[in-house]
Amino acid sequence: MDESRRRAKLYVQNDAAWDDHGTGIVSTSYLETHRGREMVLVLHSEDDGSVILESTVQPDITYHERQDCLLLWSEEDKYTLALSFQTKEGRQDIVEKINEAQTSVSYLIGMQEDEDGDVSLQSMQELTSVDLPPCELSKLDDISETLANIISLPCLQDGARPTADKLALRLEQSKYISQLMELFHVCEDLENRDGLFTLYDIVKSLFLLNQASVTQILLGDEHLFDVVGCLEWDRRVADGERTPHRTFLTDHAEMKEVIEIKDPDIKSKIQLIYRAQYIQDILMPMPLVFEENMLSSLHAVIIFTKSDVISALQNDDQFLRELFQNLQDEGITPERASDLMLFLKEFDQFTDPMTAEDRLAVYRTLISHGFFSVIAMYLAMDDGGNAQKAAVSILRHISEFSPALVREACLGATTNTTDDEDQFLLNVIIDRMVEDCDGDVSGCLAVVLKVVLGLPPSMQQNREEMLEPNMPIREPNPQMVAAYNEFLSVFYRQSMHHLMAPLLASTSAKRMSRDDSRAAGLLRLIMDVLCICVSAHTYHIRNHIISRDLLRRVLVLTQSVHKHLALSSIRFLRQVLGQKDDALNNYIIRNDHLRPIVELLECNGNYNLINSACIDLFEFVCGEVMKEMKEMALYIAQNYKSRLEKITYVSTFRRLILRTDQEKDRQALIQEAANNGTTGASTSNSRRFCRDGSMDDAEETWFNDEDGDSLFDDENPNDDDSSPSSRHANSPSGSSSSQDDSSVASTSPDASPGPSQSNLLRSLPLKPLRRSGAEDDEDDVADVFKNAIASRKRSFALVEYDDEEEEEEEEDGDEEEENGVDASKSSSQSVMEGSPAKRRKVES
């Protein structure tokens, strides 16, 4: 095999950096040790052949393949290594050998592989029958090594771990863990540091077995503090830096019952949750990114215990009634209110691991006891303190889980009490956001508003499917749509003026009345909510913007010295344009609402966020010129063409003006054709022909009729003194249609020019054909076709040019003008040669 395939460079992680340790050829070899036959990964230097790396492949080491050529692993929690191979195939060769070696565990426990290279079930059973060493002080190292070997054993194909299962059963039925804790006390009394370090490894391995029964024993009241004491003796921590965790758990960590829990089983489970989380988050080593399931059993104990506690309290109606009665007590002290709300917050957080159906059932139980009334009461407090912050956190948590629950609560409150708008939940949220705009509370409440006002996921998915041409459209739930629309009606009727009040007060004049940081922060939050309204709502926000001239007030914010606020106003205008709504576009054009953006673009300089946001807005209009934004583009070109032409560091405005000029020429040509007598049907056919390139039946017949009326035929063949224009006046006009300019160049010698060319020639000041000779007539005809084709190119060349294509067209312009007359002559000559009547007239 070519050794260049295994050429690799070694990197060693040093904090956040990677140190280069040299380049060489990777190979594998086997060594006989006291454990058996072990595979070693070796990297020999390509310069002098020295050994750069010698790493033993262990079953408990996970080798990660990253990108195309990287192989990454960690050794003994000390450092992380990476091999960057020259080829992907070379890495694959090494990975296959590593997998083969890790599958074989004969060098660890004397097991033999079967013919397929997998660990046989018989060998696994042999390992299962091996007993743990006696629980003695002199055997601590052997115990630690045995547990480490069992943890490193690979799972069977069905994921089973019979060795760990049998060991867990033995530990559960015996007093082995109790004997280990007794050895811990002996080592502490004797100050046996080596023994304490080994006990730390043993207890850590017991958790890493991921056996629920073993974890329950370790977390029990009998062994908990001894287990915590063992985990204090991490050999990587210096003596002066060790934390007395047992002292903290006994002196500081106490369970505080704000509402008495009468069931002792629930109390013990709450204490178990706290201890397990403390061990997982504080005492156990932080798992690597690749070891997310390292403590799965400990995590499972926490999750299931939380679910048990929540289910028990949910079914305790007396407990919930007492809790909410205390929360709604008007004479409650701030300390008592803070304790109760923090308990409710922790109760809410316990629902996170539960399924969506179970969480929904828990929330509906809380709502039936007045949950949202309590939240609204504490939000409305002027000095709620910690209780108010807890209420905000709970409201955000539940709104992110199910915005529909908050909408239902708002609709229910509206149905029950409609007299006082200030008690309406949304108004309470908005008022608190306005009053506390300089803290974290306002930001959380703005998130709640955006989530609740946003489209439900099913409606959002339905809207996205409607934009995809080939995607089947699934209708959302009609009841959900009706409830959402009803909620929007209530919001715009009772809450929108609360949300808009600070904006209207700050922009009553042409300049902002307040532009300090507090006001700017509040207005930015309001603009974020309004952007959600524009993107999610349809006629509600459109009617509100137009009826109250909201955009004029918003664009006043572009004058703010706080750039984030100016960007928010530009983003709002961009959202409005992105709706491609004719009513909103006409409103912007009618009130000239793009003037502040043009002025901001001129005075703000280049290469900054505001400048980029303005250019992005015009770029969107430019990209939609030929679709829904024609009127908007024409309005921009008509009012700001001279000002935008000066901005040349981007091509946006040059392309925008070019496309609007082309659109003007096209519209003028259509209008001119209509003024010259074309009917509505022919105009419709013309537009259709320009769009899809096809022709109607009349045009097809006209082109195929060689002897039909043409540009140079006359109803009276004896009238030789008539001009081409007068002859054309007698030609039929009912078959007029637009024709692509390419059809002129591709006309066969037997074909005649189309009626669309005749319509073009009507408006041209044609000179009478001189009768001195056919050659002069051909020159006049060439001039006619040259001007007609040039006019047609200007009118219908609606192609989106790139900058490079525009430059190439400018360079080829002179060459096209030189060849234009010759091409026109050949075209006119072929047309005249196609008709015998034309030849007779020219020869005469």
Side-chain angles (χ1 to χ4, degrees), residues 321-349:
R321 190 184 308 111
E322 183 179 357
L323 171 64
F324 283 98
Q325 285 177 355
N326 280 269
L327 285 170
Q328 294 174 345
D329 185 8
E330 295 181 356
I332 189 173
T333 62
E335 293 78 10
R336 175 68 173 168
S338 176
D339 291 340
L340 290 172
M341 287 303 298
L342 289 175
F343 171 79
L344 187 60
K345 177 182 177 181
E346 189 171 2
F347 182 93
D348 177 48
Q349 291 174 347

Side-chain angles (χ1 to χ4, degrees), residues 457-498:
S458 59
M459 295 180 64
Q460 178 68 29
Q461 184 178 7
N462 177 260
R463 176 176 294 186
E464 294 174 355
E465 290 172 353
M466 293 177 65
L467 300 177
E468 295 292 337
N470 298 325
M471 183 178 293
I473 299 177
R474 290 169 291 182
E475 294 296 333
N477 187 353
Q479 296 179 353
M480 182 197 63
V481 175
Y484 180 71
N485 290 332
E486 183 182 359
F487 167 77
L488 291 183
S489 300
V490 173
F491 169 74
Y492 279 92
R493 184 175 64 251
Q494 297 192 14
S495 302
M496 191 61 171
H497 58 280
H498 283 258

Side-chain angles (χ1 to χ4, degrees), residues 578-761:
Q579 301 307 304
K580 302 176 186 178
D581 187 279
D582 292 339
L584 290 174
N585 290 342
N586 293 333
Y587 159 73
I588 294 174
I589 295 172
R590 183 172 62 254
N591 294 277
D592 194 18
H593 281 322
L594 289 186
R595 181 178 296 276
I597 304 300
V598 175
E599 294 175 352
L600 189 65
L601 189 63
E602 291 177 331
C603 67
N604 195 63
N606 305 341
Y607 308 112
N608 53 69
L609 282 177
I610 293 181
N611 181 268
S612 300
C614 295
I615 293 175
D616 174 73
L617 188 148
F618 286 104
E619 185 69 37
F620 170 75
V621 177
C622 180
E624 299 292 333
V625 168
M626 303 314 301
K627 299 177 183 178
E628 292 89 350
M629 307 294 290
K630 295 180 182 178
E631 293 80 5
M632 185 65 65
L634 293 173
Y635 149 73
I636 294 174
Q638 180 179 356
N639 292 273
Y640 305 109
K641 179 178 180 180
S642 59
R643 300 167 68 174
L644 296 179
E645 283 178 337
K646 299 177 182 178
I647 303 176
T648 59
Y649 52 86
V650 290
S651 62
T652 302
F653 305 105
R654 183 172 70 252
R655 290 185 285 109
L656 177 62
I657 294 171
L658 174 63
R659 294 177 184 180
T660 52
D661 289 343
Q662 293 171 348
E663 178 63 17
K664 287 180 181 178
D665 292 342
R666 191 181 73 87
Q667 295 290 347
L669 185 64
I670 294 175
Q671 184 64 33
E672 184 179 358
N675 294 336
N676 289 335
T678 55
T679 62
S682 63
T683 303
S684 176
N685 291 337
S686 173
R687 292 175 181 172
R688 179 188 61 79
F689 184 80
C690 292
R691 182 173 64 253
D692 56 16
S694 61
M695 296 181 292
D696 57 14
D697 296 338
E699 289 173 326
E700 189 69 31
T701 303
W702 191 91
F703 273 99
N704 294 332
D705 187 4
E706 184 176 337
D707 296 331
D709 293 331
S710 66
L711 176 66
F712 301 99
D713 288 338
D714 191 82
E715 289 185 358
N716 186 5
N718 298 325
D719 188 5
D720 296 337
D721 296 333
S722 60
S723 65
S725 58
S726 63
R727 292 189 181 97
H728 179 68
N730 296 324
S731 62
S733 60
S735 61
S736 173
S737 65
S738 297
Q739 178 183 346
D740 195 359
D741 58 340
S742 61
S743 63
V744 177
S746 61
T747 303
S748 62
D750 296 334
S752 300
S756 59
Q757 295 173 351
S758 304
N759 293 334
L760 287 172
L761 294 175

